[in-house]
Amino acid sequence: MEGGILKFLFFTILVFVAIGHSNGQLRKGFYKSSCPQAEQIVQNITWKRVASNSTLPAKLLRMHFHDCFVRGCDGSVLIDSTANNSAEKAAIPNLSLGGFDVIDEIKTALENTCQGVVSCADILTLAARDSVSFQFKKPMWEVVTGRRDGRISKSSEALSEIPSPFFNFTSLKQSFANKSLTVHDLVVLSGGHTIGVGHCNLFSNRLYNFTGKGDSDPSLDSTYVTFLKTKCQSLLDNTTTVEMDPGSSLTFDNNYFSALKQQKGLFQSDAALLTNKGAKNIVDEMLIDGKFFTEFSQSMKRMGAIGVLTGSNGEIRKKCNVVN
């Protein structure tokens, strides 16, 4: 009898260990022995590129977010379409992504240093962190590594999985919950809108035809509406861009939340954060000195772990834009 129980316990422990491992072996310094310079190479190239292009942090942060929300953080957003497959890159939300050349440059350098070791998924995760961190000259959040690259990339999935700038609070909350992220993560990660720009066609309905009667969105500051109309002069303008964080779109700070409180959130999905009591309280919290950086660091770690491929799953792509 006792032997049976011991066998059962041993089996249970084995299963538990196996589950624990398949759950992802992301860890700090994953490449310490296999490619010791990996993280330094990523940082050097990213910082060099950001030094000459201040719009890169917003681009790489967005690319990382768009990658993680489709099939997890597996680098699938980097894959090019082929004759018989329309990849994530071809989806409408991804047509305005930028920074692929930076990822390619890093990948080339890493392949020259340690061939077939560092995944594109990890490169993107590290480069997003390092690009935002350039301004502070120190890593703004910890990145655990060990992700492997996915082999599947479909534009239809990107279209259905990436939260839309037109979403209301309920849709946003559901979209994040689908990725095991909380309302807290939703509000904190929306703070990423403190850098970067938005295209007119993603918010001009709020200026010109909010309820179909040629009106503007009453939840948008009226002076701000007037200003935005000088930039976006029609509903169809899809080339003009406007700062998401007015006057501060190149500085990573908590100013987005101040703008939000002044009813200057650019997208409906920004304004939506004030329509829920819990979310609104978190917005207020982010205005406390230093709070946003601490919380953003935690939420980015959670986002960077969504649906990761580890161990023997996936592959290490030779080139980030094509599967092996």
Side-chain angles (χ1 to χ4, degrees):
M1 177 69 181
E2 225 168 63
I5 289 171
L6 280 176
K7 261 185 185 170
F8 174 73
L9 281 175
F10 180 66
F11 175 73
T12 308
I13 289 166
L14 273 183
V15 168
F16 183 72
V17 168
I19 289 170
H21 274 262
S22 68
N23 214 350
Q25 300 121 311
L26 295 186
R27 60 176 190 266
K28 206 175 169 178
F30 181 85
Y31 299 107
K32 205 170 185 170
S33 53
S34 59
C35 190
Q37 302 139 280
E39 295 196 21
Q40 195 57 55
I41 289 169
V42 177
Q43 191 199 78
N44 292 349
I45 294 173
T46 306
W47 281 16
K48 178 196 77 181
R49 295 291 294 264
V50 175
S52 62
N53 181 356
S54 55
T55 68
L56 263 181
K59 289 175 177 171
L60 291 172
L61 187 61
R62 182 168 178 243
M63 193 196 295
H64 177 39
F65 175 76
H66 283 208
D67 182 41
C68 292
F69 264 67
V70 187
R71 292 189 171 265
C73 315
D74 66 344
S76 55
V77 74
L78 304 166
I79 297 172
D80 287 341
S81 296
T82 57
N84 49 16
N85 178 57
S86 173
E88 287 171 39
K89 269 185 188 177
I92 289 169
N94 288 335
L95 293 177
S96 54
L97 288 181
F100 293 105
D101 55 325
V102 181
I103 304 300
D104 290 340
E105 185 183 334
I106 295 168
K107 180 63 173 170
T108 302
L110 285 169
E111 286 298 304
N112 289 339
T113 312
C114 17
Q115 200 177 348
V117 175
V118 185
S119 69
C120 299
D122 273 343
I123 292 171
L124 177 50
T125 307
L126 288 163
R129 188 268 310 270
D130 292 342
S131 64
V132 171
S133 302
F134 173 74
Q135 173 192 329
F136 305 93
K137 296 293 182 284
K138 64 172 189 185
M140 291 305 283
W141 61 89
E142 184 186 80
V143 170
V144 284
T145 41
R147 291 166 194 77
R148 286 169 65 86
D149 297 323
R151 299 185 180 97
I152 298 165
S153 182
K154 296 178 178 173
S155 60
S156 57
E157 292 182 348
L159 196 54
S160 62
E161 297 292 321
I162 296 167
S164 156
F166 301 104
F167 272 4
N168 61 18
F169 183 77
T170 309
S171 303
L172 286 169
K173 183 183 174 182
Q174 188 58 58
S175 175
F176 276 66
N178 292 345
K179 309 296 169 195
S180 304
L181 296 175
T182 62
V183 167
H184 189 269
D185 294 318
L186 159 62
V187 177
V188 171
L189 292 172
S190 294
H193 284 180
T194 184
I195 49 174
V197 295
H199 284 76
C200 287
N201 57 316
L202 299 178
F203 60 84
S204 53
N205 67 311
R206 301 183 74 199
L207 310 178
Y208 294 108
N209 203 20
F210 191 60
T211 64
K213 294 175 185 165
D215 54 347
S216 58
D217 183 345
S219 74
L220 200 54
D221 176 83
S222 56
T223 319
Y224 191 42
V225 168
T226 308
F227 163 74
L228 290 174
K229 282 181 170 177
T230 65
K231 300 282 185 188
C232 307
Q233 295 178 9
S234 86
L235 273 170
L236 303 171
D237 181 350
N238 60 2
T239 50
T240 309
T241 57
V242 176
E243 292 180 291
M244 290 193 285
D245 184 351
S248 172
S249 69
L250 292 173
T251 314
F252 194 84
D253 53 26
N254 68 346
N255 203 56
Y256 163 83
F257 297 101
S258 308
L260 203 53
K261 296 281 286 183
Q262 294 160 26
Q263 298 191 299
K264 292 178 181 174
L266 195 59
F267 303 122
Q268 270 168 264
S269 58
D270 294 317
L273 302 180
L274 300 179
T275 63
N276 172 272
K277 193 165 180 266
K280 198 175 177 181
N281 290 341
I282 300 163
V283 168
D284 289 335
E285 248 178 74
M286 292 307 112
L287 295 169
I288 301 166
D289 252 9
K291 186 78 172 158
F292 171 54
F293 288 161
T294 312
E295 297 303 324
F296 193 78
S297 160
Q298 294 302 316
S299 289
M300 283 302 292
K301 270 186 82 169
R302 283 194 283 274
M303 186 186 89
I306 298 171
V308 292
L309 299 170
T310 57
S312 56
N313 294 319
E315 63 184 22
I316 304 295
R317 270 183 243 143
K318 294 183 180 74
K319 282 185 166 181
C320 290
N321 61 334
V322 284
V323 294
N324 293 347

